[in-house]
Amino acid sequence: MHLKDHLSQTKDFLTIGEWTFEKIQSVLEQAHYLKDLQQKEIPHPYLKGKVLGMLFEKASTRTRVSFEAGMFQLGGSALYLNSNDLQLGRGETIEDTAKVLSRYVDAIMIRTFSHDMIEQFAESATVPVINGLTDLHHPTQVMADLMTIEEIKGELPSVKVAYVGDGNNMAHSLIEAASTVGMELCVATPPGYEPKEDVMNALSNDYVSVTHDPFLAVKDADVIMTDVWASMGQENLQLEREGVFTSYQVNESLCAVAKEDYIFMHCLPAHRGEEVTSDIIDGSHSVVYDQAENRLHVHKAILQYLLKVNDSKEQ
C-alpha cells in the first residue's frame, strides 16, 4: 500500500484543518500499515539517510520519544534541539534559525507555546515543519486519536466522540478533525472556557456541537475524551481551575450515560482524581496506552507523507 501519489502535497503539518479528508485518510492507512510491519518485526527503512530536527520549547515524553524512535525505525535519525541551547535563546531570529536548520535536516518538528511562532518558522523554512504541539493546536496527537478510534470503533463517520474539559489545543484539533472526517463531536466545557470562536467559525460545524452540560455531551457516546484542567504554562491557574472544572470530571456516574462499550481516551499526562478518576483511566474501557503507542505509528506516517517517500511493499 503506497501513500497515494495523486494527493496534492502540503509542505507542512501545522493544523489538521489544513488537510483534506483524503490526506488524513491516506496517512491513517499508512499508519495502520506501518504498525503492522512493526508488530511483525519487518524492517521498513523508508527514510534511510533522512534527518529530523526536533525543536523543543516545552517539555515532552510521548512527542519526543515517538518521533525519535520513529525516525530510527524508518532508517533515519533525529536530533533533539532545546531552544535554550540554540542561538534562539540568545536572540537569533526565528527566520534565521529556520533557514539555517533547513540546510542541515530534512524535516523539523516543533513543540512550542506560540502558534504564531511555528507559523513564522514554517514560512521561512524550506523543509517540512510539523506541529508537535502549540497552545492553540495539537494535530499529531489527534491524528493518533483518530487512528485509535478507527482500530477499535471502525469508520470515523459512524462514531460519536464526547470531549469533556477545557476548550484548549486538544479541543481545537478535535474540532478540526471532526469537521473534516465527518465524525460527530460534542465538546462540554464550563462557561467561559469554550473553544476559540475563530476555530469554530473557520469550519463547517455540522458535525460539532458545544455545550456546558457534560452529561448531554457524553450521552450515547462511543468515545469519551478529556485533558488536564491546566495545560503546560498554566500551572499558576491550577487552583482556580480546580474549582471551575470539578463538575466536569470524567467519573463513573458521567460514563454511565455513554454506550456500554464506550472507550476512554486521554492524551496524557493525566492527573488522576482531577479530570478523571482512577477507576476510569485504569479501568477496562480505557485505551490510553494504545492511544499513546499510536503516536509512534502515525508520526512515522506523517513523516513519510511529508517527505514524499513511498514504501517498497510492491517492489
Side-chain angles (χ1 to χ4, degrees):
M1 188 265 312
H2 287 258
L3 286 176
K4 295 179 176 61
D5 295 327
H6 70 276
L7 296 177
S8 60
Q9 289 282 346
T10 304
K11 180 177 83 73
D12 306 310
F13 184 45
L14 304 186
T15 69
I16 286 185
E18 297 170 344
W19 278 12
T20 63
F21 172 80
E22 289 77 15
K23 289 177 182 178
I24 291 172
Q25 200 58 51
S26 179
V27 171
L28 290 177
E29 288 175 7
Q30 187 69 3
H32 291 300
Y33 172 57
L34 291 171
K35 183 173 183 176
D36 184 60
L37 292 182
Q38 185 70 22
Q39 291 177 337
K40 293 177 180 176
E41 299 183 353
I42 299 174
H44 44 283
Y46 306 139
L47 298 186
K48 183 177 181 180
K50 300 292 185 180
V51 179
L52 171 68
M54 304 187 303
L55 176 56
F56 287 88
E57 289 188 328
K58 281 190 173 186
S60 171
T61 298
R62 281 152 292 278
T63 300
R64 176 180 177 179
V65 176
S66 57
F67 269 108
E68 192 163 343
M71 279 300 293
F72 286 134
Q73 292 170 10
L74 288 168
S77 57
L79 302 174
Y80 173 76
L81 307 170
N82 188 297
S83 62
N84 293 327
D85 298 331
L86 301 178
Q87 297 296 343
L88 269 173
R90 298 179 61 243
E92 184 171 46
T93 67
I94 293 171
E95 292 84 357
D96 284 352
T97 302
K99 290 175 182 177
V100 169
L101 290 181
S102 295
R103 302 293 183 101
Y104 299 147
V105 301
D106 300 285
I108 300 167
M109 186 279 297
I110 302 177
R111 182 177 171 92
T112 186
F113 293 90
S114 167
H115 194 76
D116 289 340
M117 180 274 192
I118 201 170
E119 288 183 334
Q120 190 177 353
F121 195 103
E123 186 174 346
S124 296
T126 57
V127 298
V129 175
I130 300 169
N131 179 1
L133 176 142
T134 66
D135 286 345
L136 195 59
H137 293 279
H138 200 355
T140 54
Q141 172 66 58
V142 171
M143 285 291 288
D145 298 345
L146 296 179
M147 179 184 178
T148 307
I149 294 169
E150 276 192 337
E151 281 183 332
I152 300 169
K153 294 296 182 181
E155 294 185 1
L156 297 172
S158 65
V159 174
K160 177 184 176 181
V161 176
Y163 173 84
V164 181
D166 187 22
N168 59 11
N169 50 9
M170 276 296 300
H172 295 153
S173 289
L174 279 169
I175 289 166
E176 291 191 338
S179 298
T180 304
V181 305
M183 179 177 70
E184 183 181 355
L185 171 68
C186 189
V187 177
T189 71
Y193 293 87
E194 300 87 354
K196 289 187 177 296
E197 287 187 9
D198 56 351
V199 173
M200 296 292 296
N201 294 339
L203 302 163
S204 170
N205 289 308
D206 294 340
Y207 304 103
V208 178
S209 59
V210 178
T211 180
H212 300 310
D213 183 348
F215 286 88
L216 178 62
V218 171
K219 183 174 174 54
D220 297 325
D222 299 286
V223 181
I224 303 172
M225 303 181 69
T226 190
D227 194 6
V228 294
W229 291 339
S231 298
M232 240 182 298
Q234 298 177 328
E235 289 82 2
N236 61 317
L237 302 175
Q238 178 67 29
L239 290 177
E240 173 188 328
R241 285 177 169 243
E242 285 178 10
V244 172
F245 282 86
T246 299
S247 59
Y248 290 81
Q249 182 186 73
V250 178
N251 52 37
E252 185 177 357
S253 63
L254 181 61
C255 294
V257 303
K259 289 183 179 176
E260 288 187 7
D261 62 345
Y262 80 90
I263 58 174
F264 173 76
M265 302 177 71
H266 192 304
C267 60
L268 302 179
H271 296 165
R272 289 165 174 79
E274 292 182 15
E275 74 272 8
V276 61
T277 55
S278 296
D279 59 328
I280 297 299
I281 192 171
D282 299 319
S284 60
H285 292 273
S286 177
V287 296
V288 296
Y289 302 117
D290 297 314
Q291 179 187 3
E293 178 192 341
N294 284 339
R295 293 285 300 273
L296 170 69
H297 310 298
V298 86
H299 291 172
K300 289 159 70 174
I302 290 169
L303 286 162
Q304 191 179 347
Y305 175 75
L306 291 176
L307 290 171
K308 305 179 179 67
V309 178
N310 282 329
D311 64 61
S312 55
K313 183 180 179 183
E314 299 176 4
Q315 294 180 6

